[in-house]
Amino acid sequence: MVILKFGGTSVGSAERMKALVKLVSGPERKIVVLSAMSGTTNTLVSICTELYNKQPLKAGEIIDQLEVKYKEEINSLYSSDTFKRKGEDLIKNHFNYLRSFTLDMFTVNEEKAILAQGELLSTAMFHYHLEEIGINSALLPALNFMRIDENDEPQLNYIEKNLDAEIAKHSSINLFITQGYICRNSFGEIDNLKRGGSDYTASIVGAAIHAKEVQIWTDIDGMHNNDPRIVSKTHPIHELSFDEAAELAYFGAKILHPTCILPAQKRNIPVLLKNTMQPEARGTRISNIEASEGLKAVAAKDGICAINIRSDRMLLAHGFLRAVFEIFERYKTSIDMITTSEIAVSLTIDNTKHLPEITKELEEFANVAIDMEQTIICIVGNLPKNKSGYGFKVLEALKDIPLRMVSYGGSANNISVLVNSVHKREALIALNKGLFGYL
Ligand code: ADP
Ligand code: ASP
Ligand code: MG
């Protein structure tokens, strides 16, 4: 079995959906994971924002506009009257459901139900399209098998068992379609795997069924050496190790959801990144290869908060770091980067939900200084410990940029620096020149 995941642009219009057919055809058994059509989840988020702000009329207007777009897509996706009608009924059901939220109280549970509509719509639309053109397929409802626990971690045993049961209902079918992104939480409520989560769905599903390969189809020909939204010249990297790809995804390469490599890596399932608009391009293969040596790519993660914790008592004091880490642990706040000196430690977090409580507890034994709006720039590759020059190259490239933190040696796969977000762009451009020779 192989998993093919198509992102928002790959299902972004009726034309794009039709173009997927040749990529999903063929005798090999496969599960196709679809995102919502591009722009839909953002629009659903803005509907929720209006409802949180007690603006049901504005929310209603956005719903109406989105429905118009979907009606147009339905009209060009199907050719027969029967399927046009089926499509219209589908749209009507989902949009009437969305409208029902404008009439009542609005809480986080309603928000999650709203955010789920994009993937429910795209998969149902594609399923009907296959049916209309005579291709046999089955829809596997993600809400029947995809589940996260109270720490938002996928419950792999549960997923395996329930996904197998869903697949077993269709023994003669080779082509399955399911929703990316959406799941249930430990209370059984509708939830999601966070923005960009369809990649994560694909990898979890791949792990659950021991797939041969997970393919992530998107709008670019694989993982590039730098963020193509920021620097003008980049190139695709054809091979990456799981560790290298996981670092890039976690530290901001938007092409992959931050944690989506892990499930595939655990079961040693190769992940292929491919371009839907250019299927013949080689893309990127992520696997357990012995990574070739060298610096390969950079990525940037915004919205970082740096915390400097300074205490004279840190000098030679064992137990100091434990006391610091325990506070973060208690507030379930993970630390990304850390640097130490004799009397101070600097660390970064991206989840600032509990920052006031954390700061208060730290201040009981240390002086605390906070810097918001920082960016981690992560330089990834295979950098053996016994080789010289990599640190020099990175710092030389960044010589004109103020560095708030530098971290090297945590693994053989990355060098990370923290800069104020105002310097992110120049830092990525400088690295593109210094490391990859692009002017
Ligand atoms: P999808 O909707 O298919 O999930 P995304 O928008 O989430 O697609 O991810 C693809 C986008 O990721 C690309 O269009 C590109 O702009 C962006 N991106 C950021 N960093 C990288 C990178 N290092 N390599 C490739 N793409 C990247
Ligand atoms: N539709 C969701 C989002 O836009 C999930 C995804 O596309 O991966 O975040
Ligand atoms: Mg994505």
Side-chain angles (χ1 to χ4, degrees), residues 5-11 35-36 38 195-199 216-230 234-237 248 252-257 273-274 276-277 284 297-300:
K5 176 260 168 175
F6 294 95
T9 30
S10 304
V11 292
S35 294
S38 55
R195 296 304 307 272
S198 300
D199 304 327
I216 309 278
W217 289 82
T218 181
D219 57 3
I220 187 164
D221 57 345
M223 179 72 79
H224 279 224
N225 68 306
N226 203 332
D227 192 328
R229 295 165 302 175
I230 294 177
T234 59
H235 59 262
I237 305 161
L248 286 168
K254 190 191 173 229
I255 185 170
L256 286 174
H257 177 276
L273 310 182
K274 294 281 285 177
T276 323
M277 327 313 162
T284 301
V298 300

Side-chain angles (χ1 to χ4, degrees), residues 75-108:
N75 198 35
S76 35
L77 185 57
Y78 307 114
S79 37
S80 66
D81 285 346
T82 316
F83 276 88
K84 280 186 198 284
R85 214 167 312 118
K86 275 187 170 195
E88 276 160 20
D89 286 347
L90 175 81
I91 301 301
K92 206 186 292 162
N93 282 340
H94 283 274
F95 281 85
N96 284 346
Y97 181 65
L98 284 175
R99 273 185 205 98
S100 72
F101 294 105
T102 62
L103 308 171
D104 219 339
M105 227 178 66
F106 190 70
T107 70
V108 69

Side-chain angles (χ1 to χ4, degrees), residues 5-8 34-37 39-42 115 118-119 180-181 194-200 257:
K5 176 260 168 175
F6 294 95
L34 298 186
S35 294
M37 296 177 89
T40 298
T41 311
N42 285 346
L115 295 181
E119 273 70 13
Y181 178 59
K194 312 264 160 40
R195 296 304 307 272
S198 300
D199 304 327
Y200 201 19
H257 177 276

Side-chain angles (χ1 to χ4, degrees), residues 237-300:
I237 305 161
H238 297 311
E239 296 273 358
L240 282 172
S241 69
F242 283 125
D243 287 338
E244 290 170 328
E247 297 272 7
L248 286 168
Y250 187 74
F251 287 108
K254 190 191 173 229
I255 185 170
L256 286 174
H257 177 276
T259 52
C260 84
I261 290 299
L262 286 176
Q265 181 171 19
K266 271 193 192 147
R267 298 223 158 140
N268 193 17
I269 301 166
V271 177
L272 199 63
L273 310 182
K274 294 281 285 177
N275 187 349
T276 323
M277 327 313 162
Q278 220 186 315
E280 65 292 346
R282 190 166 151 194
T284 301
R285 190 179 155 83
I286 301 162
S287 67
N288 68 350
I289 49 156
E290 183 75 40
S292 60
E293 197 192 312
L295 293 161
K296 289 179 199 153
V298 300

Side-chain angles (χ1 to χ4, degrees), residues 328-342:
F328 287 87
E329 163 90 26
R330 218 170 306 130
Y331 290 100
K332 290 191 174 172
T333 301
S334 59
I335 296 167
D336 281 330
M337 247 179 108
I338 174 156
T339 54
T340 62
S341 82
E342 197 58 29

